[in-house]
Amino acid sequence: MKIQSQSPETLCVHAGTFFSEEDGGINSPIFPSTAFRYDQNAAVPYARYLNVPNQEAVTQKVAALEGTETALVLSSGMAAISGAIMGLVKQGEHIVFQDSLYGGTQYFITEILDQFGVAYTLVNQHNVEGFHAAIQENTKLIYIETPSNPLLEIIDIEAIVTLAKEHGILSMIDNTFTSPINQQPAHWGIDVVIHSATKYLGGHSDLMAGIIASREELIQKIKPVAINFGACLDARVCYLLERSLKTLALRIKQHNQNAMEVAEFLMAHPKVEAVYYPGLATHPNHALAKKQMNGFGGMLSFEIQGEYEDVHHFFGRLQMIDRAVSLGGVETITCSPRETSHGKISPEARQKLGIRDTLIRLSVGIEDAKDIIADLERALT
Ligand SMILES: *Cc1c(COP(=O)(O)O)cnc(C)c1O
């Protein structure tokens, strides 16, 4: 299907869909074959080669939404992150990345890439000066995540792109927290956009996948690594992901609206000491968030009065909201970053990152905001 529209709502529904002449169905059929008849003059389709129809349906849809030339779909967010970095960075080169990163990414760069002779610098001052100061002669890549986890700090995408271009360095972003509905980093010139599609793109807490969206030239460098690491996504899961993506714009609209209402409720609550949500006018980077985001997303965190124990009392009194890891699903879930994403680091390191024991993270779902707020109210009282 040829789609004229640039509207994300329309692209979510129609981009990438392919039709089977035989059955006349209006959805992409699922092609589970791993053995394909071949033609000696054409590329052989094979799921691990990342070239089967159900993978292409997903990648065309996401590339349309991100505004990139092309994309790859892999079996997890970490497969996308490790594949993209390994495809673009070589031994002897250096990466600059912020110190507040998804735990798996941090582990990959500091513990695994290190074994392959790739150096890195962690930046703790998240403005252009901070990133600039970390650039070395051999820096190949600047890697960011905005909004950051779990404090929802906003990094200036346009400024990072300008800095990277001035130094001939590639830029990469983990766009998981926003989805392409709320933020299109390629629009600002970011070279590579990554997603853990396990989160908002899948959206129902029932599939794992990862996306790398970029221009053809860079995808061609990443592809051989991704193919030979073997983290491909099965046709059946591709279909589930394609199906989920059709409602992405609709879901994100509701996540945005609910999170805003929840953030305002928390702000006004006497038992809450701080709320971290870029949609609030009191957020230190609110103006920047407004500039680079179309919506402020479904993720927020807040600190409650009291001590670590009180976090457990809070969790214990919740009735609808589950204490669970992961994020981006239709259901509201909550966790303590001290116990999950930042559970393995020392109390001193947590303090340095500004992650207090009384911090609670919320992935706000698409239920009726009234019910989410009522549950929070009950647990806070
Ligand atoms: C979950 C997550 C990842 C890793 O994704 P998986 O699908 O679990 O491999 C990477 N980045 C962010 C921001 C995430 O939330």
Side-chain angles (χ1 to χ4, degrees):
M1 180 186 287
K2 260 249 172 308
I3 302 142
Q4 306 297 342
S5 176
Q6 293 301 311
S7 300
E9 292 81 359
T10 306
L11 294 173
C12 279
V13 176
H14 292 294
T17 308
F18 64 99
F19 300 99
S20 141
E21 294 297 334
E22 276 102 274
D23 72 353
I26 64 162
N27 287 305
S28 311
I30 302 173
F31 288 110
S33 290
T34 54
F36 288 84
R37 291 185 204 102
Y38 72 95
D39 174 335
Q40 67 268 44
N41 301 315
V44 182
Y46 189 54
R48 190 168 52 72
Y49 296 168
L50 310 175
N51 62 356
V52 296
N54 293 101
Q55 292 167 337
E56 278 165 17
V58 170
T59 56
Q60 282 177 24
K61 205 188 277 297
V62 178
L65 288 168
E66 285 290 358
T68 58
E69 282 175 10
T70 185
L72 294 175
V73 62
L74 298 166
S75 59
S76 69
M78 281 314 303
I81 292 165
S82 57
I85 294 175
M86 290 293 250
L88 297 176
V89 177
K90 293 195 294 286
Q91 185 178 22
E93 292 177 335
H94 172 260
I95 305 174
V96 172
F97 68 108
Q98 77 199 60
D99 61 357
S100 49
L101 280 182
Y102 177 73
T105 309
Q106 179 130 353
Y107 187 89
F108 175 74
I109 301 177
T110 59
E111 305 291 328
I112 297 176
L113 263 189
D114 200 43
Q115 296 175 32
F116 295 91
V118 174
Y120 62 87
T121 302
L122 285 146
V123 173
N124 62 16
Q125 190 199 338
H126 300 158
N127 52 22
V128 187
E129 294 74 44
F131 284 92
H132 191 186
I135 292 175
Q136 302 179 3
E137 197 83 333
N138 57 344
T139 303
K140 185 68 192 283
L141 178 69
I142 300 181
Y143 185 108
I144 58 170
E145 227 178 275
T146 178
S148 71
N149 177 42
L151 293 171
L152 287 299
E153 226 188 306
I154 306 294
I155 291 167
D156 188 334
I157 298 175
E158 193 180 19
I160 294 296
V161 167
T162 305
L163 177 70
K165 286 202 192 318
E166 274 168 14
H167 291 80
I169 297 169
L170 292 171
S171 55
M172 194 179 292
I173 190 171
D174 182 332
N175 208 28
T176 301
F177 264 39
T178 65
S179 91
I181 305 302
N182 281 340
Q183 183 168 279
Q184 292 172 297
H187 169 81
W188 301 103
I190 288 275
D191 294 303
V192 184
V193 181
I194 305 277
H195 283 281
S196 167
T198 312
K199 315 297 167 56
Y200 286 104
L201 305 193
H204 298 72
S205 310
D206 63 357
L207 67 82
M208 294 205 74
I211 298 281
I212 305 170
S214 185
R215 54 181 184 274
E216 194 64 52
E217 168 219 346
L218 296 179
I219 290 289
Q220 287 313 324
K221 291 189 176 153
I222 294 167
K223 212 168 170 178
V225 174
I227 288 174
N228 291 296
F229 277 2
C232 56
L233 194 67
D234 179 80
R236 298 160 189 87
V237 184
C238 286
Y239 182 77
L240 264 186
L241 179 54
E242 184 190 347
R243 193 178 194 275
S244 288
L245 285 165
K246 294 184 185 189
T247 57
L248 180 67
L250 197 59
R251 287 187 281 111
I252 293 293
K253 222 175 270 175
Q254 191 70 20
H255 284 294
N256 290 344
Q257 197 180 317
N258 283 359
M260 192 69 212
E261 281 184 45
V262 168
E264 281 169 350
F265 158 77
L266 291 169
M267 273 297 276
H269 200 286
K271 293 271 172 67
V272 175
E273 297 212 320
V275 182
Y276 302 93
Y277 185 62
L280 293 171
T282 50
H283 186 287
N285 308 123
H286 177 63
L288 177 59
K290 231 166 134 174
K291 174 192 150 197
Q292 69 189 27
M293 300 173 80
N294 312 315
F296 302 112
M299 297 301 298
L300 61 85
S301 59
F302 60 102
E303 283 157 13
I304 55 167
Q305 260 178 17
E307 298 171 31
Y308 181 41
E309 279 180 13
D310 296 295
V311 170
H312 285 266
H313 297 148
F314 171 82
F315 287 153
R317 283 193 293 264
L318 290 168
Q319 288 181 5
M320 179 182 79
I321 302 170
D322 274 316
R323 184 179 61 179
V325 292
S326 197
L327 61 105
V330 291
E331 60 288 305
T332 302
I333 57 173
T334 188
C335 71
S336 151
R338 177 199 150 132
E339 294 166 0
T340 55
S341 54
H342 295 76
K344 291 201 186 79
I345 65 174
S346 69
E348 296 73 41
R350 269 200 302 272
Q351 197 184 6
K352 224 173 122 205
L353 290 169
I355 297 165
R356 298 173 64 185
D357 288 353
T358 52
L359 186 76
I360 293 171
R361 191 183 80 172
L362 208 56
S363 170
V364 180
I366 64 167
E367 303 96 335
D368 187 333
K370 281 201 297 294
D371 294 325
I372 303 169
I373 289 171
D375 207 23
L376 294 170
E377 171 90 79
R378 186 182 306 121
L380 283 167
T381 315

